[in-house]
Amino acid sequence: MLPGSIQITGEALSGAEIKDICDSLKENSVRLLSVRGCQLSDRDFGRVCRGVAECHALAQLNLNLGVVSNISRVKQLAEALNTNRSVHTLFLHGSPLTDTGLACLNPVLSTHPSLVSLDLGDCMLGDEGLQLICGMLPPDGAKSGLKELTLSANPAVTSKGWARLAIAVAHSSQLRVLNLDYNPLGDQIAGMLAVAVASSRTLEVLDLEGTGLTNQSAQIFLDMVENYPTCLRVLILAENNISTELQQQISDLLSEGEEEEDKEGEARGSAGGREREKTTWVSQSSKEPGLQVSSTLSSRYALAGGRSHMVLVTSGLGDSLLAETEM
């Protein structure tokens, strides 16, 4: 039987409920754990972290919306991830980490053998934090790194920090999805990111929703996708001062490029006598993610009135992440 999943959102968790979670972790019966926005004591948080450290089946850990609320919890999470070797995806969206907290986590995040997706949106990061994150995007020929990175709503980062990130993205041999929505980037930084996208051989999705862009930067992206080869398949420009016409032109060009690539893939498959298997990277939303998942604890945490559908998300590391998402 496949390991199950636990999702609890916005609840005050009792000691008995924490014990149930920890027992499930120690039995390796949990693949996805989400205690998003939940209230639990420092002692109980430590118990959960020890369970995470011991669980060999856990692939996705969601501690969004302030669960990691102080430096003591940051250190406990770092200790857990230093022992854990199975987590592929870590959500810390809405945690007041600051650069100090990220510096505490960085040694384990940058060396974790399985981590491919990281959400640090709304974590009060600055330029020092961005410099640490750049180390998780190693260049070609180096160690493996992140495939999906979310840095939404970190307004303290300056143009210097974003410039460093753009350089790292340009040379990253792994990154496929980058979510930068709701940061005050402006056209100048968007221009740097356009150069990074043009240089990248892997980046497929870039979210720039609500980042203070105008038609000026949109025109640069349009010229890029129109005149230069790129891996980019999705560019999100909503909630900016950009004309609908320009957004549609960019979207149409990206769609055309994807269709041409699919045709080429089918042709190569036919020439080989069999269809080539197509692998798709399924990204999490750049908005604070809230996977609706059935719980292994009790009906209290089960989906309320709705049907769920099983989605297979390949990690790119020879393993897979199973999540039940509301359709």
Side-chain angles (χ1 to χ4, degrees):
M1 181 177 179
L2 284 173
S5 57
I6 299 171
Q7 173 165 317
I8 314 169
T9 299
E11 299 281 353
L13 299 179
S14 68
E17 289 167 328
I18 293 294
K19 183 179 184 303
D20 286 341
I21 292 172
C22 293
D23 288 346
S24 296
L25 288 168
K26 291 174 182 178
E27 293 167 1
N28 288 308
S29 60
V30 181
R31 188 144 175 84
L32 188 159
L33 173 63
S34 173
V35 289
R36 172 178 171 266
C38 289
Q39 302 169 40
L40 61 163
S41 68
D42 287 343
R43 175 176 176 272
D44 284 342
F45 182 84
R47 292 168 63 192
V48 171
C49 284
R50 288 191 290 274
V52 167
E54 296 178 28
C55 186
H56 305 302
L58 187 65
Q60 184 176 121
L61 179 60
N62 187 331
L63 301 174
N64 283 352
L65 302 182
V67 176
V68 186
S69 56
N70 54 53
I71 194 64
S72 174
R73 293 191 180 194
V74 171
K75 291 177 180 178
Q76 288 175 312
L77 177 61
E79 289 176 6
L81 293 174
N82 190 48
T83 302
N84 175 280
R85 287 294 179 265
S86 62
V87 170
H88 293 177
T89 302
L90 177 63
F91 293 120
L92 297 174
H93 201 115
S95 303
L97 292 182
T98 72
D99 292 349
T100 301
L102 184 58
C104 183
L105 277 174
N106 180 65
V108 294
L109 295 181
S110 58
T111 58
H112 196 283
S114 301
L115 188 68
V116 294
S117 180
L118 179 63
D119 186 338
L120 296 175
D122 193 17
C123 283
M124 302 172 65
L125 302 180
D127 289 353
E128 292 181 11
L130 262 287
Q131 187 170 8
L132 295 174
I133 289 166
C134 290
M136 302 179 205
L137 304 173
D140 289 342
K143 62 181 182 180
S144 61
L146 295 176
K147 295 191 175 184
E148 178 173 355
L149 174 62
T150 295
L151 293 171
S152 317
N154 281 292
V157 179
T158 70
S159 57
K160 180 181 179 181
W162 294 124
R164 282 175 172 163
L165 181 70
I167 293 170
V169 169
H171 293 283
S172 171
S173 59
Q174 303 287 326
L175 192 66
R176 301 183 189 180
V177 179
L178 179 61
N179 299 311
L180 299 178
D181 49 304
Y182 297 102
N183 285 296
L185 302 181
D187 290 329
Q188 183 178 3
I189 295 171
M192 291 189 290
L193 290 170
V195 174
V197 171
S199 302
S200 172
R201 291 185 288 177
T202 59
L203 193 68
E204 299 174 6
V205 179
L206 177 61
D207 187 349
L208 296 177
E209 180 176 355
T211 51
L213 309 188
T214 70
N215 285 345
Q216 177 182 332
S217 51
Q219 188 63 56
I220 293 173
F221 278 108
L222 178 62
D223 292 343
M224 179 195 70
V225 298
E226 190 171 24
N227 297 305
Y228 300 95
T230 174
C231 294
L232 196 66
R233 295 293 171 260
V234 177
L235 176 63
I236 301 172
L237 296 172
E239 301 297 326
N240 286 297
N241 190 22
I242 297 173
S243 69
T244 303
E245 180 184 3
L246 264 177
Q247 292 190 52
Q248 190 60 53
Q249 284 180 282
I250 294 171
S251 178
D252 290 344
L253 283 170
L254 292 174
S255 297
E256 288 175 11
E258 189 169 12
E259 289 172 3
E260 290 175 5
E261 187 177 84
D262 288 344
K263 289 179 182 178
E264 291 175 1
E266 290 174 5
R268 287 195 296 269
S270 298
R274 61 190 179 95
E275 281 193 29
R276 186 168 62 95
E277 181 181 358
K278 182 179 179 182
T279 302
T280 303
W281 176 260
V282 182
S283 69
Q284 297 292 341
S285 169
S286 62
K287 312 305 175 289
E288 196 282 311
L291 289 175
Q292 297 296 315
V293 217
S294 60
S295 169
T296 59
L297 296 183
S298 74
S299 59
R300 171 186 174 190
Y301 311 123
L303 279 170
R307 288 168 37 184
S308 61
H309 179 68
M310 189 68 73
V311 179
L312 176 64
V313 184
T314 57
S315 70
L317 293 179
D319 201 354
S320 62
L321 183 86
L322 290 174
E324 288 181 356
T325 61
E326 185 177 21
M327 301 301 285

